[in-house]
Amino acid sequence: MTDWTETELSALRRAYASGTTRVSYDGKSVDYGSAEDLLARIRTIERAIVGTTRPLPVAGLAGFSRGDR
């Protein structure tokens, strides 16, 4: 379980899109050293959120028949 939220992710994306490295959300402020650091944080959170919300794959067995056997 992660402590990251969609609110934090949205704030990070807005900051990245505007070209700033200072992010504020929920009364918190964080300064990132570079745009690359900010983008790395965005990607980390995206992977964590997708990993917790993506449904598990369903495994199955496919079958077929040629009809003449």
Side-chain angles (χ1 to χ4, degrees), residues 17-60:
S18 69
T20 186
T21 56
R22 183 175 185 86
V23 181
S24 298
Y25 62 94
D26 293 337
K28 304 172 190 174
S29 291
V30 180
D31 284 314
Y32 289 89
S34 66
E36 290 79 21
D37 293 341
L38 180 57
L39 184 58
R41 179 70 167 187
I42 291 169
R43 297 295 180 237
T44 298
I45 295 173
E46 285 175 338
R47 282 191 300 272
I49 289 175
V50 167
T52 60
T53 60
R54 185 182 343 179
L56 296 174
V58 177

